[in-house]
Amino acid sequence: MTQQLTEDFADPAFQANPHPVYAHWRRTGPVRQVRLPNDMDAWMITRYEDARKALADPRLSKAIPFDAVNATATTPSISAAISRHMLSSDPPVHTRLRRLVSAAFTARRIEALRPRIEEITDGLLDDMRGRETADLIDDFAFPLPIQVICELIGVPAEDRDLFRTWSNIIVTGALAGDRLPGAVQEMVTYLRALLAQRREHGGDDLISGLISVRDQEDRLTEDELSSMIFLLLIAGHETTVNLIGNGALILLSRRERWEQLRDDPALLPTAIEEFLRYESPVETSTFRVATEDLEIGGQRIAAGDPVLVVLLSANRDEDRFPAADDMQLDRAQNPHLAFGHGIHYCLGAPLARLEAQIAFGKLQARYPDMRLAVPEEELTWRPGVLMRGLHGLPVIPT
């Protein structure tokens, strides 16, 4: 039966499988204006080459306050406390922020996390032992990256569920309705208190590093600090939750894929890149706004128009990826855009890849015969156009 195409982003059918819609758009109108759940009209870019160019185009500004694209009743002070980070800024502000944050978020610091990531992973897998069923999202894909990023940043372990609640609401955006302003307010209040505590007592964590980092006389302001922690907490776990969850579904929904990777762990690096391409954990980029009249993909976009790059669609573009709808664990040439492109390329990509490699390697080694506990069509996907991830993934561990 042919799936009926729907452009309703709130429709569960679209959430379950948006790929036919995006494929249709790539063929018939690869740059098109659509009405989003926040009642904003925005241009959506769906082809790979157009997307790659747009992600690096300085005429598409990222300097957009949070409340400008979210239907919230937040005050300017609250908006500033979560908007003044790298992902919502242009050069030279972006250049300065990335330089300061990179000084604390180093490759050495990330690699030093490997033993702790392995320890957390082993503990979570131990907890599934002997159970008839488990939820691979709630029991594994979520607690692993949230515990890692909370420990890295310096957030108490007992508060991680608060961040899951806030993050779920915030990334859902307008579809979260009247819950959004409260979640933003609560998270900002928490972050400000956490910063005050670290200023007084210090610590060996990323918050303390960000507070103390300097480039000559330059340092992060209070709003920049809270905004960076906000970004790192949400982006630092959301992408990895979806990478692990989506990747596990890809493997478990086709037994031959699970067995291929289980029997040949050397495929793990290319398999993870294919998970990122095939079912991208981030569906669209965050907003950009045209600073002047410009043309993308033959379509004129006026100054002031908002633009979204559909990473999920670009990564399935048949003109860039041979057999784009085929999931190939050994795909050698895979320049996907799952982590973006250009100056806003994801700073946390190495951490996400490290967590995923450890997670899948240990998961398959510990539970080589894992199965889905429900038919694939019973699974539901989280709402919104920003993230691409499952509500839950019931499995039979043994």
Side-chain angles (χ1 to χ4, degrees):
M1 181 176 179
T2 302
Q3 177 181 341
Q4 184 176 356
L5 296 181
T6 173
E7 298 183 11
D8 180 359
F9 296 106
D11 188 330
F14 178 86
Q15 294 165 9
N17 186 14
H19 298 292
V21 174
Y22 289 143
H24 176 70
W25 288 1
R26 288 194 301 271
R27 293 190 301 268
T28 62
V31 180
R32 64 173 62 206
Q33 200 168 38
V34 299
R35 176 63 56 90
L36 298 173
N38 62 358
D39 290 328
M40 175 185 291
D41 291 327
W43 294 98
M44 297 191 83
I45 300 173
T46 57
R47 287 192 309 205
Y48 181 92
E49 288 303 327
D50 297 333
R52 194 172 187 275
K53 290 175 182 176
L55 291 170
D57 194 328
R59 299 172 298 174
L60 293 174
S61 172
K62 295 280 286 178
I64 310 169
F66 179 84
D67 54 3
V69 293
N70 290 277
T72 66
T74 56
T75 66
S77 173
I78 294 295
S79 180
I82 59 173
S83 296
R84 294 182 178 171
H85 52 68
M86 299 177 297
L87 203 57
S88 294
S89 60
D90 302 323
V93 174
H94 172 272
T95 308
R96 168 182 164 270
L97 291 175
R98 183 133 185 160
R99 182 179 66 246
L100 286 168
V101 174
S102 296
F105 202 76
T106 62
R108 181 180 178 183
R109 186 188 287 264
I110 292 171
E111 181 56 34
L113 291 170
R114 181 183 292 273
R116 181 59 180 142
I117 296 172
E118 292 176 342
E119 181 182 14
I120 294 169
T121 302
D122 285 335
L124 294 171
L125 294 175
D126 286 344
D127 290 343
M128 286 194 279
R129 176 66 67 188
R131 294 169 56 178
E132 290 185 6
T133 62
D135 187 323
L136 212 55
I137 303 298
D138 286 347
D139 298 326
F140 189 61
F142 166 73
L144 172 58
I146 194 65
Q147 188 166 343
V148 170
I149 199 65
C150 283
E151 289 185 9
L152 174 64
I153 290 176
V155 172
E158 60 268 22
D159 294 337
R160 71 182 191 185
D161 286 335
L162 285 173
F163 284 101
R164 185 181 194 184
T165 299
W166 293 331
S167 181
N168 276 335
I169 294 171
I170 290 167
V171 301
T172 300
L175 292 176
D178 57 10
R179 295 180 298 159
L180 184 56
V184 173
Q185 175 76 56
E186 289 173 14
M187 190 167 183
V188 168
T189 300
Y190 180 95
L191 293 177
R192 285 173 170 167
L194 193 61
L195 280 167
Q197 194 274 339
R198 283 299 189 278
R199 283 191 185 280
E200 183 175 353
H201 300 291
D204 184 24
D205 51 49
L206 192 58
I207 291 179
S208 302
L210 291 172
I211 289 172
S212 62
V213 71
R214 284 178 172 82
D215 185 356
Q216 297 180 359
E217 296 302 313
D218 191 15
R219 61 189 302 178
L220 295 168
T221 69
E222 196 72 7
D223 281 341
E224 289 168 350
L225 281 166
S226 60
S227 294
M228 282 309 309
I229 299 167
F230 169 83
L231 175 63
L232 292 171
L233 277 168
I234 291 184
H237 86 274
E238 282 283 358
T239 299
T240 310
V241 172
N242 295 342
L243 169 56
I244 295 172
N246 297 357
L249 175 60
I250 288 168
L251 295 176
L252 291 168
S253 62
R254 300 291 183 273
R255 196 66 201 166
E256 68 275 10
R257 296 171 182 166
W258 174 272
E259 294 173 353
Q260 181 186 7
L261 185 58
R262 181 196 63 190
D263 297 341
D264 187 3
L267 288 174
L268 198 51
T270 57
I272 288 171
E273 298 309 307
E274 185 69 340
F275 299 159
L276 286 162
R277 182 198 72 84
Y278 186 79
E279 204 67 85
S280 307
V282 180
E283 185 159 344
T284 69
S285 68
T286 51
F287 280 93
R288 288 163 165 78
V289 171
T291 57
E292 60 184 74
D293 292 351
L294 55 92
E295 185 178 296
I296 300 177
Q299 177 66 58
R300 179 184 176 276
I301 296 176
D305 282 356
V307 174
L308 285 176
V309 178
V310 189
L311 307 175
L312 187 69
S313 175
N315 287 336
R316 290 281 194 106
D317 189 338
E318 303 85 349
D319 291 338
R320 183 61 188 85
F321 300 97
D325 286 331
D326 290 340
M327 213 291 305
Q328 300 173 3
L329 295 177
D330 58 353
R331 189 181 292 269
Q333 299 300 317
N334 198 350
H336 61 75
L337 301 175
F339 289 121
H341 173 66
I343 64 171
H344 291 288
Y345 184 84
C346 179
L347 186 68
L351 177 58
R353 287 183 167 112
L354 176 62
E355 289 175 301
Q357 288 197 23
I358 292 171
F360 281 106
K362 287 183 173 292
L363 178 69
Q364 288 200 302
R366 185 74 65 89
Y367 298 107
D369 299 319
M370 180 173 280
R371 297 284 197 281
L372 285 177
V374 299
E376 183 180 355
E377 55 269 23
E378 292 184 12
L379 300 174
T380 59
W381 294 78
R382 295 166 62 189
V385 296
L386 179 60
M387 293 292 172
R388 173 77 177 151
L390 293 159
H391 277 297
L393 185 57
V395 296
I396 301 170
T398 55

